[in-house]
Amino acid sequence: GGYMQSPGGFGSPAGTQAEKKQRMRSQNIVPCTVSQLLGAEQVDETFRICGVEISQVTIMGIIRHAEKAPTNIHYKVDDMTAAPMDVRQWVDTDEAGGENVVVPPGTYVKVAGHLRSFQNKRSLVAFKVMPLEDMNALTAHILETVNAHMILRKNLTSASKAPQSFSSGMGDMSGYGGGGSLPVSGLTAHQSQVLNLIKNCPVPEGMSLQELKLQLHNMSMSTIKQAVEFLSSEGHIYSTVDDDHYKSTDAE
Amino acid sequence: MGDVHEVPRRRIATGHLAQHIGQPVCFVGRVEKIHPTGKLFVLSDGEGKHTTVELTEPLDDEISGVLEVVGRVTNQATIMCMSYVQFREDKSLFDLELHNEALKIIHEFPEYFPFG
């Protein structure tokens, strides 16, 4: 735990999407593989994955090499996805010695830090190098990494630009509409769900309110009717044979 | 031959051995048995399927529990081990079955967990 849950900051869905995308930076710590860090796009000092600027990242791997210098500890951390990555952790020279103990090679660690590039070689400047006590954290990191990068990729292609949380805890997408589709800009989760069902209805006379109620178990009829009214006034759907049947204006 | 630790090593389960002949891999499994010569041992993956791991030099340590092996898949679909590490289980047991499920996911979505 301890990671930010709420995206915050990016309120309005509409407007200058291109500008917003330019400066879209992940507010969270993104779990990554070494291969993903090596593959990140670089422009000057900033790195991007799927167009999102990444700042703090975590990797998880085994220490292959550890060397203590007066002001820093140099590690090589191996997560099997590429050659081991250079990790540098600055030592607090005021500390009498206890704080920054060198983690020995052969230890699995979680590293949190910032990606850097110097003379075309990428490395991490770590603010935390933490030996794993529970190796199940490795499995968790693998799953969190897939989840985070899947979300990054979806953000790139979807109309919605609200940044998502990459926090630990297995990727809960439940705030974003049912049926596995991401919401259209400006619609609530309920409105999106109703719209998606109507869009996917192959029948010529469209989807009836009764059919919607059957499919959307946890939505009351009045909520469905409100959603239909809104979608209709916005031009996303239109009524067909009667006021109980609707089709999507987005033709296949 | 080169140092297998400097290249990507795909994380695999027993079922993936056949598709990775000659490839550098990383295999996590539980020690089932050790050959008396100490040059061969058998690991089981999260689905209980066995993989044979061969060593160039006999083991000089006792091995038990969950091991992570780095090596290359031989033509006989065994793994020629270059190094191994034991997963600590002093604080919590390692859920090998769940790990197998994670492997299925990274094999299904290599674009989100790339090797190389």
Side-chain angles (χ1 to χ4, degrees), chain A residues 137-180:
Chain A
L138 174 64
T139 306
H141 182 82
I142 290 172
L143 294 171
E144 286 166 21
T145 299
V146 171
N147 185 55
H149 289 258
M150 193 178 277
I151 289 172
L152 282 170
R153 180 75 62 88
K154 275 197 174 155
N155 275 344
L156 189 65
T157 53
S158 88
S160 162
K161 291 303 178 192
Q164 313 230 9
S165 164
F166 308 117
S167 62
S168 61
M170 314 290 169
D172 179 64
M173 292 278 286
S174 61
Y176 285 86

Side-chain angles (χ1 to χ4, degrees), chain A:
Chain A
Y3 294 113
M4 277 165 54
Q5 278 298 138
S6 66
F10 286 64
S12 68
T16 54
Q17 300 292 7
E19 286 165 27
K20 286 228 164 88
K21 194 170 159 172
Q22 282 291 76
R23 285 308 299 165
M24 186 151 64
R25 170 187 302 173
S26 173
Q27 302 292 337
N28 304 285
I29 298 184
V30 185
C32 293
T33 62
V34 171
S35 54
Q36 284 164 339
L37 295 182
L38 296 177
E41 254 176 71
Q42 183 181 359
V43 177
D44 297 327
E45 295 301 313
T46 63
F47 299 93
R48 285 180 204 283
I49 294 181
C50 292
V52 178
E53 187 184 332
I54 52 161
S55 70
Q56 295 178 63
V57 297
T58 57
I59 61 168
M60 193 172 288
I62 190 168
I63 304 235
R64 295 290 186 200
H65 171 89
E67 197 181 305
K68 187 159 183 156
T71 56
N72 68 84
I73 306 173
H74 174 226
Y75 293 109
K76 281 194 184 278
V77 177
D78 183 5
D79 75 352
M80 314 295 169
T81 64
M85 173 159 265
D86 283 311
V87 173
R88 213 159 281 271
Q89 184 180 25
W90 297 105
V91 163
D92 189 344
T93 50
D94 290 340
E95 284 289 321
E99 197 52 57
N100 290 121
V101 176
V102 178
V103 180
T107 313
Y108 250 99
V109 291
K110 181 169 193 170
V111 178
H114 298 265
L115 188 57
R116 291 280 182 271
S117 181
F118 181 65
Q119 295 178 342
N120 255 336
K121 187 149 190 349
R122 293 196 182 175
S123 63
L124 280 182
V125 172
F127 50 81
K128 189 157 77 169
V129 176
M130 204 174 66
L132 297 190
E133 295 199 331
D134 179 349
M135 287 306 297
N136 292 302
L138 174 64
T139 306
H141 182 82
I142 290 172
L143 294 171
E144 286 166 21
T145 299
V146 171
N147 185 55
H149 289 258
M150 193 178 277
I151 289 172
L152 282 170
R153 180 75 62 88
K154 275 197 174 155
N155 275 344
L156 189 65
T157 53
S158 88
S160 162
K161 291 303 178 192
Q164 313 230 9
S165 164
F166 308 117
S167 62
S168 61
M170 314 290 169
D172 179 64
M173 292 278 286
S174 61
Y176 285 86
S181 22
L182 289 173
V184 173
S185 277
L187 298 184
T188 66
H190 285 159
Q191 289 160 357
S192 289
Q193 280 178 275
V194 169
L195 180 59
N196 281 326
L197 280 173
I198 294 174
K199 265 188 183 169
N200 292 319
C201 177
V203 176
E205 63 268 27
M207 191 118 182
S208 70
L209 291 177
Q210 285 68 32
E211 192 54 52
L212 283 169
K213 180 76 182 79
L214 275 174
Q215 304 244 14
L216 297 165
H217 312 133
N218 36 354
M219 248 189 249
S220 68
M221 189 45 116
S222 67
T223 308
I224 294 175
K225 280 189 175 164
Q226 275 170 33
V228 163
E229 227 162 359
F230 175 85
L231 291 169
S232 176
S233 67
E234 292 291 299
H236 294 293
I237 59 176
Y238 63 96
S239 59
T240 57
V241 293
D242 57 28
D243 283 341
D244 280 352
H245 289 78
Y246 292 85
K247 274 182 85 68
S248 162
T249 47
D250 254 22
E252 251 352 294

